[in-house]
Amino acid sequence: MPSIPQPLDPDDDGGVAPAVAAALASYQAGTADATEVLNALGGARLLVPVVALLTESGVGAHGLRQEKESEMALPKLVGQDGRQAVLAFTGTQALVRWRPDARPIQATTLQVCRAAVQEQAAAVVVDVAGPVQFVIEGAVLEALAAVESGTVGEIEGATVARIEPVEPARRRRWFSRR
């Protein structure tokens, strides 16, 4: 049975990271491309929703249905073509906009991508209910999952590069523009 991980940041206020908010706003305005959003998401914390599912109920003394057992589940989005996607949110406001009863679990973007690949999902949909929806899928999803799992060398056509620690003032970019 999977366990709920310890929070990445116990003092997290649930807000959207400023770099992520700026990249998504620019993407929506058409002044930034997906690469810039992916670079902002690369080191960002996302919130993965879990929801309670009733697994067993009964009728109480007064004839009312009562919950006996429930489990927490990771909801998936299913497209019209049958493909599944894992949901992730940049902050609690976006999560509540989608489903107010969902509970957030902190994860890095790379962890979310790895989980999606492990769940055989075709995509990660970030902020499905807005304000700006962003989809990570295909080779990009596989590459980010491979970075997290340490299996980048197993992706056909991938070039493996060692990333050395840099000074805190510099940002590392997972993708470059061409």
Side-chain angles (χ1 to χ4, degrees), residues 57-121:
S57 65
V59 178
H62 301 288
L64 299 175
R65 186 174 173 191
Q66 296 176 333
E67 177 182 326
K68 283 188 174 182
E69 245 180 69
S70 64
E71 294 180 358
M72 297 306 285
L74 173 69
K76 289 184 191 170
L77 186 65
V78 179
Q80 291 180 339
D81 61 0
R83 294 185 310 151
Q84 296 182 353
V86 169
L87 301 174
F89 298 88
T90 56
T92 53
Q93 286 184 351
L95 177 93
V96 169
R97 182 180 294 123
W98 169 71
R99 188 166 171 174
D101 66 328
R103 297 294 171 251
I105 302 294
Q106 296 176 351
T108 66
T109 301
L110 298 178
Q111 289 170 330
V112 174
C113 290
R114 181 178 182 192
V117 168
Q118 287 175 338
E119 291 288 321
Q120 298 179 339

Side-chain angles (χ1 to χ4, degrees), residues 101-149:
D101 66 328
R103 297 294 171 251
I105 302 294
Q106 296 176 351
T108 66
T109 301
L110 298 178
Q111 289 170 330
V112 174
C113 290
R114 181 178 182 192
V117 168
Q118 287 175 338
E119 291 288 321
Q120 298 179 339
V124 171
V125 178
V126 178
D127 291 346
V128 67
V132 180
Q133 188 181 102
F134 186 78
V135 179
I136 304 169
E137 61 186 335
V140 173
L141 175 65
E142 290 178 27
L144 292 174
V147 168
E148 174 61 19
S149 66

